[in-house]
Amino acid sequence: MYDQGEQQGPAAPEHHVVLAERGPFIAPRCSCGWSGPARRSRPLARAEAAAHIAHPG
Ligand SMILES: [Zn+2]
């Protein structure tokens, strides 16, 4: 189950992050293979996804 509504990054076509929902948890996952830790807070998961896009390394 993927939330496709958060993929409008500014300019990072190689990093396509979606928020994967698993029960009460939400984890950002990127097309580059990166995935963030599961969070209960959607804004937090979104912020970590944005941080990954801003600083992929
Ligand atoms: Zn990425």
Side-chain angles (χ1 to χ4, degrees):
M1 186 181 297
Y2 296 94
D3 184 346
Q4 297 283 342
E6 311 296 338
Q7 61 186 255
Q8 298 181 9
E14 296 182 3
H15 293 277
H16 183 93
V17 177
V18 297
L19 297 181
E21 300 187 40
R22 297 178 65 97
F25 296 97
I26 299 176
R29 298 181 63 178
C30 185
S31 60
C32 75
W34 173 87
S35 62
R39 302 295 190 183
R40 289 181 180 171
S41 168
R42 175 182 288 269
L44 179 56
R46 185 183 302 160
E48 292 185 341
H52 165 72
I53 293 173
H55 303 284

